[in-house]
Amino acid sequence: MNGAVSQHGSSRPRVAVVTGGSGGIGGAVARRLAADGTAVVVHYAGSAAKAEAVVKSVTVAGGTAVALPGDVADPTEMTGLFDAVEERFGGVDVVVNTAGIMLLAPLAEMELEAFDRMHRVNVRGTFVVSRLAARRLRPGGALINFSTSVTRLQQPGYGGYAATKGAVEAMTLILARELRGRDVTVNAVAPGPTATPLFVEGKSDELIARIAAAAPLERLGTPEDIAETVSFLAGPAGRWINGQVLFSNGGIA
């Protein structure tokens, strides 16, 4: 893969940083981008073993991947991560922000500490990484942030979480306009219910079946479904998509 010609005619491989790359969606994104010939940096915050498992799955398939740790909300740590990526690979072409947490409760009952935790990772973390991406992405690059279809579904219990993702959408759409002339696209992906361990945890089979039936396609999304959307936005076919939120949800919203 290292000798592959990039989509922009260069002999150098494209390089992607995937935050939250040890998670269900993040891991699928890392594997999909690697299959496209991209060298992938699998970022993780707490699960080195899961990140290394993603790296192994990429390398076994013939791709290039490394795992690097960092707190997405800490500008010093994330600057260090970007420095390490540039030193190892020469630059960054794609940044995908899958890192995020979801804590659910009705607004009247949600603890402020829970809201602050989500805000720190989902909003501040996206801001810190997006700012670095805006400064460092090479021409032809792509920044892909993550929102949620709950911003349209307005489901009770999701108010605090959806509020953080509304902030992510606002930052994403404005940053796309601020990067005029840079040849860098900025978009957000908004998944619907997706069959990840995080989604399944704590839900009964009956509830999962009911959620799956809500979409016209009558199934849950898979991490691979979401990864295909990211691959499109990161690749040559998605270059004319900029400043958009793509709802990858099977028509549920």
Side-chain angles (χ1 to χ4, degrees):
M1 295 248 179
N2 283 340
V5 176
S6 81
Q7 66 194 33
H8 297 280
S10 170
S11 60
R12 62 170 168 76
R14 279 167 70 79
V15 179
V17 173
V18 180
T19 72
S22 62
I25 290 176
V29 167
R31 288 187 289 270
R32 183 66 182 84
L33 292 179
D36 291 336
T38 303
V40 179
V41 176
V42 180
H43 158 270
Y44 66 95
S47 184
K50 288 182 180 179
E52 290 296 346
V54 174
V55 168
K56 184 176 180 179
S57 68
V58 168
T59 55
V60 164
T64 301
V66 297
L68 290 176
D71 176 356
V72 289
D74 185 319
T76 301
E77 290 191 18
M78 295 314 293
T79 297
L81 183 144
F82 272 73
D83 287 345
V85 173
E86 290 180 352
E87 182 176 349
R88 178 156 187 163
F89 294 107
V92 181
D93 302 284
V94 178
V95 173
V96 187
N97 269 317
T98 76
I101 60 173
M102 178 173 66
L103 304 171
L104 304 180
L107 259 173
E109 300 170 18
M110 175 167 275
E111 296 292 336
L112 189 58
E113 184 271 339
F115 180 78
D116 285 345
R117 280 178 59 202
M118 283 194 292
H119 191 279
R120 186 178 189 278
V121 177
N122 299 356
V123 181
R124 179 183 166 118
T126 297
F127 172 83
V128 166
V129 176
S130 293
R131 185 173 63 172
L132 283 163
R135 294 171 177 176
R136 302 203 187 191
L137 280 169
R138 294 187 284 208
L143 169 62
I144 301 153
N145 289 327
F146 263 68
S147 181
T148 172
S149 291
V150 176
T151 56
R152 287 188 178 179
L153 292 171
Q154 290 105 37
Q155 290 172 293
Y158 286 79
Y161 174 69
T164 68
K165 293 303 188 176
V168 167
E169 288 189 13
M171 282 192 290
T172 300
L173 301 184
I174 291 171
L175 181 57
R177 278 76 187 175
E178 291 176 343
L179 295 187
R180 172 182 292 274
R182 285 278 308 280
D183 189 24
V184 169
T185 61
V186 185
N187 295 288
V189 175
T194 305
T196 63
L198 184 64
F199 171 81
V200 172
E201 184 179 359
K203 294 183 176 69
S204 68
D205 290 344
E206 188 273 335
L207 176 58
I208 292 171
R210 193 164 72 244
I211 294 171
L217 296 178
E218 297 186 328
R219 68 171 177 86
L220 295 175
T222 67
E224 290 71 26
D225 288 326
I226 310 306
E228 289 292 341
T229 304
V230 173
S231 172
F232 166 67
L233 290 173
R239 290 309 298 171
W240 195 234
I241 310 299
N242 190 29
Q244 306 298 319
V245 180
L246 267 62
F247 286 80
S248 183
N249 59 26
I252 197 170

